[in-house]
Amino acid sequence: MIFPFTAIVDQDEMKLALILNVIDPNIGGVLIMGEKGTAKSTAVRALADLLPEIDVVKGCRFNCAPEGPFCSDCIEKLNKNGSIEIEKKKMRVVELPLGVTEDRVVGTLDIEYAIKKGEKRFEPGILAEANRNFLYIDEVNLLEDHIVDLLLDSAAMGVNTVEREGISFIHPAKFILVGTMNPEEGELRPQLLDRFGLCVQVNSLTDKNLRIEVLKRKAEFDDNPEEFFKKWDSEQQILVRKIIKAKENLKNIKIDDSALSFVVDITCQLNLDGHRADIVMLKAARAFAAFNGKNGITQEDIKAVAPFTLRHRLKRLPFEDISQEVDKLNAILETI
Amino acid sequence: MQYLKQFKIKFSDFVGQENARLALLLNLIEPACGGVLLAGKKGTGKSTLLKAFKEIVKALNMPFIELPMNSTEEAVLGGIDIEETIKTGERRFQKGLLSKADGGFLIIEDINLFPHDLLSIVFEVQSRGENIVEREGITLRESANFQILATMNPEEADFSSHFLDRFGMCVIMDNIIDKEKRKEIIRLNFSRELQIAEDISLIEKIIKSKEFIKKIKVIDEITEFISEVVLKEAVLSHRADIFLLYASKAYAAYFGDNFVKKKHVITVAPLVLNHRKKLLHQQPEYEPEHQFDNSQSSERNDEEQKNKNQTPSRIDEDHEHGKSQNTPSSEKEDVFPVGESYKIRKFFFRKDRTLRQSTGRRTKTKTKGRAGRYVRSLLHKRNDIAIDATVRAAAAFQKIRGMKDLLIIKEEDLRYKEKEKRMSHTVVFVVDGSGSMGVEQRMIQTKGAILSLLMDCYQKRDKVSMILFRKDRAETILPPTSSHELALKRLREIPTGGKTPLSAGLMEAYRLIRRMAIKEPESRFLILLITDGKANVSLTGKTVFDELRSICFMLSNLTSVDFIVIDTEKKNKFMKIDFAVKIAEWLQAKYFLIEELKSESLLGIVKTFKI
């Protein structure tokens, strides 16, 4: 039993950032920064309950989408039968443990099988499971360096190409990266930071009443999880329906020139690297507008998502503090 | 479901980055152009551009092979095809990636994050144009003529200039500042219709150019002009001339000119020469202005302002006292700003024999885990079975064992992989903060050097620690940490003033390493002593000289510690002590003058980036 998403007290920015990613997976994930015990992991794990179903190729180990791109297996199937069957599957939150080895991430040759049967077989890794799902890394800043490199490599291309031990295998690996980190434990490389669509900061609640509420709900949940879940079920259902509606609404939202100009005005002032910030900001604003049932993007929508799309992209040296730049960002948002 | 539509940008629709697109096209027309390195910060469209380019290469039926970071050596070069070998009972080989790329392109994303050894293999094969494999019982010769298209983000890790020179062209992909263009880029990313139509006209033009280039003449005048251009840009490598010639030819072909003209050469010269230039004029020696220009936080501005306000006063004082400030009073304290940073020269350390679970990028080590490069097979049990060697060992006995359709493998056939990998060190900076370091603003330059060393440690993923010695004691102002952010903070705060208790600094380093070695027995340490050698405080009753000698002896007896001494003493003066040289001798350390830390290699791309 997982603690229900809607029962998490406050932490609205974190919840919103996660919901926006469910609405539009192309936003590219969330990095949740905050000290210990601020419901970071709870929120991510609770997200699984809200996830919609997606169409996948039947029996595919990599959740290939019916319209492609396809893995080596599906391509073979297509060439043989000319068509593929489709089934529905619920999206998942796949966890990447910290002590993971290289071959467990990318997949490898099934050695035992090769020696016993004398045939080559590809044993899928975590990237395969994570395709079209959420890939969750707890304490992402403690991840080993070469694993980070591998993740960056496949995140850049959206595919995982495996060339090891005489195995050549390609499968799509497009995952929504969700990470949590406690900045006190060390920082994250800028290149990996940039791969996270959004970045939210969570703090412990200081309001006494809210803290009491947290305690109460947790105790209630621990006493009788099923009962607690039933109690929150209607809230959960309302949110799930809202998300499904927003997903449908997403493609009806117009992107007009004024919204583009507004985004570019902000990013140009901040002198950021590359174009990811512009694109993500607009995608997040669009998802936000869809979530609120609107059919266009206003400046308010962009302002609302700006802090968590830009926070981690602000210009700095590889080892500098983020916090100072945030004030500058806020100042710019004030004046625009 | 809009999700995971294959988003394709057509090559001709790509906004901006004209140089990058031109470089790719020229390489498509003339394979002798020698490949392209796209260097740029994150999110500048490096990978996106390559994806768009892939469609064009495919339309021309040329191979476009991606080299993933997880590639093993067998996969790159080719090796035994186990399945076939077992089925047929004869040795069968399978093609490696490099042979598959023959006649086309090999794509290496984030080339600066790749293991150095893997890249060495790739470049070696490329320069030969042939893939020759000679490994335990395998002999393979296959044609492998390919061009390398690579991307890198210079912030992330260093890239050896030796490899850099192999690239025909290098394009810096910078940010696009033009607002209209930026909007266009966002629009492209939101365009929904699948772009199935190919760049027909462009592809036709390429095919024509590929034919046309055979007819193009290069007159002597142009060849001379090329050499002149290369020399003028102070480029040493002869590859530059050759690549420039072919690039100019391809450019002429693209525009349908029968002859290569000077204007063609001038247009493509930057693509070919950008990454080969040497630093022509050295930077002025102390620039209190560090290079975080336009991109800095307001806070840093304030601080710099403060420092700037501080330094003039300091200079005035110098003027008042005249220049002879050899024994500043121990009361005076200054906090100098951090000087200009630069690319650090390479330090090499020997391999040792310890097996480790290691990560990092500095020195090679044999690994316990499964990561790393497969060096050779062993009988000794390790984590990974070396299939090739195992199969070979078993193959000879199959008949005797009565093989039917399956290979019979016994315990004694098993072979294991020995692996090697790079590891990081724990770097302990032992910094002299005495008054003599403040003379003539030496400390600004020293801090600049430490900042540069810190950058180097970040790129090699080293842990860092800092010990400061001044007045009458030494203290660890930064315990070992992987937070380079924190290190930079401490560096800024380092005060200068007081006497020089050098032996106390070394003693503190000795204690720190003893403590750390118990906690992390696999660690390798590097002590960076930064001092002008003017030691004048002893801890015991001994003379400073004797005391230092005995501490150095203790330190040099520690295992898995390397030493570098960086001497900040001005050597052109009448008074020089050269005590740091003595200490380096006792520690068996590498010794550098602070001016020698700058990398003498080709101008690092990083420089042009103003990182």
Side-chain angles (χ1 to χ4, degrees):
Chain A
M1 267 314 216
I2 308 168
F3 195 84
F5 189 83
T6 38
I8 296 169
V9 181
D10 204 43
Q11 310 295 15
D12 291 335
E13 197 185 46
M14 168 170 73
K15 283 194 277 194
L16 179 63
L18 288 166
I19 289 168
L20 293 182
N21 269 287
V22 181
I23 295 171
D24 184 0
N26 289 317
I27 288 173
V30 192
L31 174 65
I32 304 167
M33 297 220 261
E35 48 208 64
K36 320 176 261 300
T38 43
K40 300 190 296 280
S41 309
T42 309
V44 180
R45 294 197 174 105
L47 191 68
D49 196 45
L50 302 176
L51 296 178
E53 289 188 324
I54 48 173
D55 289 338
V56 299
V57 175
K58 196 169 177 178
C60 175
R61 293 183 292 176
F62 309 94
N63 302 329
C64 283
E67 69 273 11
F70 298 113
C71 62
S72 305
D73 289 353
C74 286
I75 290 171
E76 210 173 304
K77 242 186 253 170
L78 264 172
N79 292 342
K80 219 160 62 187
N81 317 336
S83 71
I84 36 177
E85 284 181 76
I86 297 171
E87 60 178 343
K88 282 211 180 296
K89 230 187 200 171
K90 200 171 157 75
M91 281 173 82
R92 295 173 40 217
V93 177
V94 178
E95 285 204 37
L96 184 93
L98 280 189
V100 73
T101 57
E102 197 167 311
D103 43 16
R104 188 59 202 108
V105 176
V106 296
T108 179
L109 167 77
D110 191 334
I111 290 198
E112 222 169 301
Y113 194 85
I115 288 191
K116 283 188 182 141
K117 295 257 163 70
E119 279 170 38
K120 278 190 296 198
R121 192 172 71 169
F122 177 66
E123 190 183 342
I126 290 176
L127 286 180
E129 284 175 55
N131 183 33
R132 303 179 68 211
N133 285 321
F134 281 79
L135 180 65
Y136 170 46
I137 312 170
D138 200 18
E139 305 282 0
V140 62
N141 48 334
L142 304 183
L143 198 61
E144 288 206 5
D145 217 66
H146 66 277
I147 303 289
V148 171
D149 291 344
L150 288 176
L151 282 180
L152 289 173
D153 197 34
S154 53
M157 281 300 193
V159 291
N160 176 28
T161 319
V162 185
E163 296 284 351
R164 322 166 61 98
E165 281 102 10
I167 284 255
S168 280
F169 201 94
I170 297 185
H171 67 81
K174 200 159 172 186
F175 42 85
I176 308 162
L177 201 55
V178 177
T180 58
M181 70 179 264
N182 179 352
E184 291 164 13
E185 311 252 328
E187 61 261 317
L188 201 58
R189 288 162 49 189
Q191 189 157 0
L192 186 59
L193 263 180
D194 198 47
R195 291 275 166 209
F196 286 97
L198 314 175
C199 169
V200 294
Q201 187 93 38
V202 290
N203 300 315
S204 327
L205 304 174
T206 44
D207 180 307
K208 191 175 144 194
N209 294 331
L210 287 176
R211 288 191 81 104
I212 292 170
E213 188 56 30
V214 171
L215 207 57
K216 267 194 189 152
R217 286 185 195 178
K218 180 75 179 96
E220 204 179 333
F221 172 77
D222 287 346
D223 278 352
N224 190 341
E226 284 86 1
E227 197 57 40
F228 189 77
F229 225 86
K230 267 197 208 120
K231 186 174 153 185
W232 285 91
D233 192 49
S234 63
E235 288 261 357
Q236 292 277 88
Q237 289 315 317
I238 290 168
L239 182 58
V240 168
R241 275 198 294 277
K242 203 173 164 186
I243 289 174
I244 290 172
K245 218 167 139 180
K247 270 179 106 74
E248 284 161 6
N249 189 14
L250 199 62
K251 45 186 175 293
N252 306 326
I253 291 184
K254 297 252 176 323
I255 309 254
D256 52 10
D257 197 68
S258 68
L260 285 173
S261 301
F262 193 70
V263 165
V264 172
D265 277 341
I266 296 175
T267 52
C268 279
Q269 280 198 53
L270 289 166
N271 177 24
L272 306 167
D273 288 346
H275 303 276
R276 224 173 253 134
D278 307 28
I279 293 161
V280 170
M281 185 144 62
L282 203 58
K283 277 184 180 154
R286 183 174 64 168
F288 186 67
F291 188 55
N292 294 328
K294 296 201 270 193
N295 49 15
I297 302 173
T298 60
Q299 298 200 347
E300 273 59 49
D301 295 328
I302 294 171
K303 270 192 186 176
V305 298
F308 51 79
T309 44
L310 300 177
R311 183 178 288 137
H312 53 307
R313 295 196 165 87
L314 297 168
K315 197 73 159 213
R316 56 201 193 99
L317 271 171
F319 39 85
E320 295 236 310
D321 207 3
I322 294 188
S323 59
Q324 320 159 0
E325 283 282 310
V326 175
D327 306 342
K328 187 177 161 187
L329 169 65
N330 292 338
I332 287 174
L333 291 178
E334 289 292 310
T335 54
I336 271 194
Chain B
M1 255 327 280
Q2 274 310 314
Y3 182 33
L4 242 185
K5 271 268 192 292
Q6 225 175 336
F7 159 63
K8 280 185 195 163
I9 290 185
K10 279 199 312 199
F11 192 76
S12 355
D13 287 347
F14 204 83
V15 183
Q17 312 293 8
E18 290 78 7
N19 274 346
R21 281 188 289 162
L22 177 64
L24 292 172
L25 289 179
L26 295 181
N27 271 277
L28 200 51
I29 295 167
E30 173 54 81
C33 281
V36 185
L37 173 65
L38 300 173
K41 293 194 176 173
K42 46 197 184 288
T44 41
K46 304 184 292 283
S47 306
T48 313
L49 182 61
L50 283 183
K51 275 186 207 166
F53 186 63
K54 182 179 181 174
E55 299 307 311
I56 297 198
V57 176
K58 278 192 164 161
L60 291 165
N61 287 325
M62 291 162 81
F64 188 94
I65 302 289
E66 287 158 44
L67 180 73
M69 206 172 294
N70 61 50
S71 308
T72 51
E73 209 169 311
E74 301 96 307
V76 174
L77 296 172
I80 282 198
D81 186 329
I82 302 170
E83 204 169 346
E84 288 299 307
T85 303
I86 291 177
K87 272 188 194 142
T88 57
E90 298 165 21
R91 250 189 255 148
R92 289 288 168 91
F93 305 121
Q94 62 181 33
K95 269 192 184 215
L97 284 175
L98 300 185
S99 311
K100 284 184 196 160
D102 185 37
F105 295 94
L106 183 76
I107 315 305
I108 309 181
E109 289 258 5
D110 280 323
I111 191 163
N112 52 336
L113 302 183
F114 268 70
H116 206 272
D117 347 79
L118 196 63
L119 291 180
S120 305
I121 293 170
V122 171
F123 282 111
E124 187 200 354
V125 172
Q126 191 203 22
S127 62
R128 249 205 322 261
E130 192 175 31
N131 180 12
I132 305 174
V133 185
E134 291 284 357
R135 300 177 69 136
E136 314 170 48
I138 305 179
T139 311
L140 270 179
R141 281 183 96 94
E142 284 174 323
S143 160
N145 285 303
F146 52 87
Q147 289 148 276
I148 298 177
L149 304 181
T151 63
M152 71 176 265
N153 175 351
E155 285 176 330
E156 283 296 298
D158 218 4
F159 189 56
S160 110
S161 53
H162 166 77
F163 287 157
L164 195 59
D165 191 48
R166 299 293 183 94
F167 280 96
M169 302 178 191
C170 169
V171 181
I172 310 253
M173 293 184 62
D174 237 334
N175 291 333
I176 293 174
I177 310 159
D178 181 273
K179 288 190 180 180
E180 283 311 310
K181 276 189 178 169
R182 282 187 86 104
K183 287 202 282 195
E184 193 50 40
I185 290 170
I186 306 179
R187 261 193 219 106
L188 259 182
N189 270 277
F190 276 82
S191 61
R192 288 259 173 61
E193 56 282 8
L194 271 169
Q195 310 262 16
I196 297 185
E198 283 165 359
D199 286 308
I200 304 287
S201 56
L202 181 64
I203 289 165
E204 280 171 359
K205 196 171 176 184
I206 299 281
I207 294 173
K208 273 205 198 98
S209 311
K210 278 176 95 80
E211 273 307 304
F212 193 78
I213 197 167
K214 295 171 188 163
K215 298 187 205 128
I216 289 187
K217 302 273 184 302
V218 183
I219 51 174
D220 288 349
E221 189 193 340
I222 291 293
T223 326
E224 275 167 40
F225 180 68
I226 285 176
S227 301
E228 274 167 38
V229 170
V230 172
L231 282 173
K232 199 175 79 200
E233 294 286 8
V235 174
L236 298 181
S237 161
H238 287 284
R239 286 200 181 95
D241 308 51
I242 299 163
F243 287 139
L244 186 51
L245 174 71
Y246 284 117
S248 312
K249 260 181 91 172
Y251 191 74
Y254 189 64
F255 286 99
D257 277 324
N258 284 317
F259 289 94
V260 176
K261 301 188 178 118
K262 280 188 181 179
K263 65 170 190 200
H264 299 148
V265 178
I266 292 166
T267 312
V268 297
L271 301 178
V272 178
L273 302 180
N274 254 345
H275 54 303
R276 303 175 202 280
K277 287 181 195 171
K278 261 217 176 292
L279 270 172
L280 277 179
H281 26 257
Q282 288 291 334
Q283 302 279 347
E285 220 170 323
Y286 319 115
E287 263 187 313
E289 186 71 81
H290 38 63
Q291 36 165 293
F292 321 117
D293 40 20
N294 53 28
S295 60
Q296 38 186 325
S297 60
S298 48
E299 200 245 28
R300 217 187 298 131
N301 268 326
D302 295 347
E303 198 172 88
E304 220 185 329
Q305 228 27 68
K306 263 202 310 242
N307 287 328
K308 270 197 186 141
N309 296 345
Q310 249 180 25
T311 28
S313 68
R314 173 76 214 178
I315 292 166
D316 294 345
E317 270 171 54
D318 274 356
H319 276 297
E320 279 167 41
H321 298 298
K323 281 269 184 226
S324 59
Q325 263 224 347
N326 275 347
T327 46
S329 64
S330 47
E331 314 308 302
K332 253 170 55 59
E333 227 177 72
D334 276 303
V335 177
F336 286 102
V338 179
E340 162 109 17
S341 73
Y342 41 82
K343 194 163 165 287
I344 289 283
R345 63 183 307 153
K346 274 208 163 53
F347 302 125
F348 291 104
F349 302 103
R350 63 191 191 290
K351 263 194 280 188
D352 58 7
R353 291 173 172 254
T354 319
L355 287 181
R356 303 180 172 89
Q357 268 324 91
S358 81
T359 58
R361 309 190 171 274
R362 198 177 280 278
T363 311
K364 279 187 186 168
T365 174
K366 296 203 164 62
T367 61
K368 271 189 205 166
R370 303 185 79 165
R373 175 177 169 253
Y374 171 25
V375 194
R376 60 173 170 270
S377 57
L378 304 166
L379 280 163
H380 199 76
K381 198 166 165 86
R382 290 277 165 85
N383 265 339
D384 257 359
I385 293 179
I387 292 223
D388 51 353
T390 305
V391 170
R392 272 197 300 277
F397 302 102
Q398 294 310 304
K399 269 207 167 129
I400 306 168
R401 292 177 189 169
M403 171 182 149
K404 295 242 174 7
D405 47 3
L406 287 185
L407 198 65
I408 300 166
I409 294 192
K410 298 202 168 172
E411 195 70 42
E412 66 260 27
D413 300 330
L414 289 178
R415 298 287 182 278
Y416 299 90
K417 290 180 178 178
E418 175 167 85
K419 294 193 162 186
E420 243 178 29
K421 196 166 169 290
R422 283 186 188 276
M423 64 177 294
S424 50
H425 293 216
T426 302
V427 180
V428 183
F429 288 83
V430 183
V431 184
D432 184 342
S434 63
S436 58
M437 294 287 287
V439 177
E440 292 180 42
Q441 318 275 311
R442 278 309 253 185
M443 202 61 191
I444 298 176
Q445 190 195 3
T446 304
K447 283 190 178 186
I450 299 175
L451 171 65
S452 314
L453 288 160
L454 277 174
M455 293 278 262
D456 188 57
C457 291
Y458 167 77
Q459 294 192 333
K460 307 276 196 305
R461 319 282 185 249
D462 292 326
K463 270 190 170 171
V464 290
S465 168
M466 225 181 272
I467 292 170
L468 177 70
F469 59 93
R470 54 192 282 265
K471 288 182 174 168
D472 56 353
R473 62 170 192 277
E475 58 172 332
T476 304
I477 54 172
L478 179 77
T481 172
S482 50
S483 172
H484 297 80
E485 202 173 295
L486 204 58
L488 185 68
K489 266 202 194 118
R490 293 283 176 279
L491 170 65
R492 285 217 190 92
E493 296 160 1
I494 287 183
T496 313
K499 289 202 171 90
T500 314
L502 182 52
S503 39
L506 289 174
M507 200 62 217
E508 181 71 21
Y510 178 79
R511 287 197 201 105
L512 179 86
I513 286 183
R514 284 291 298 271
R515 276 202 309 273
M516 290 290 298
I518 292 167
K519 255 201 287 190
E520 303 172 9
E522 289 183 0
S523 281
R524 276 190 75 166
F525 297 93
L526 167 61
I527 292 186
L528 273 161
L529 175 64
I530 300 156
T531 178
D532 54 7
K534 299 190 170 84
N536 54 15
V537 180
S538 81
L539 301 170
T540 52
K542 288 189 217 164
T543 63
V544 172
F545 185 90
D546 288 342
E547 190 179 62
L548 271 171
R549 193 169 49 187
S550 56
I551 290 179
C552 287
F553 179 72
M554 274 163 59
L555 275 167
S556 60
N557 276 336
L558 288 172
T559 47
S560 64
V561 184
D562 298 286
F563 301 91
I564 292 178
V565 174
I566 293 165
D567 191 347
T568 61
E569 193 185 29
K570 259 234 183 308
K571 296 297 178 196
N572 52 2
K573 277 176 94 184
F574 177 64
M575 288 269 300
K576 60 173 190 210
I577 304 176
D578 275 345
F579 203 14
V581 181
K582 203 83 205 132
I583 293 168
E585 210 173 290
W586 290 333
L587 288 172
Q588 295 150 32
K590 293 183 167 62
Y591 168 89
F592 299 102
L593 289 172
I594 194 159
E595 293 82 7
E596 295 172 336
L597 283 178
K598 281 200 177 83
S599 164
E600 283 304 316
S601 65
L602 297 159
L603 164 62
I605 295 187
V606 176
K607 200 75 194 165
T608 47
F609 261 95
K610 286 218 181 72
I611 283 178

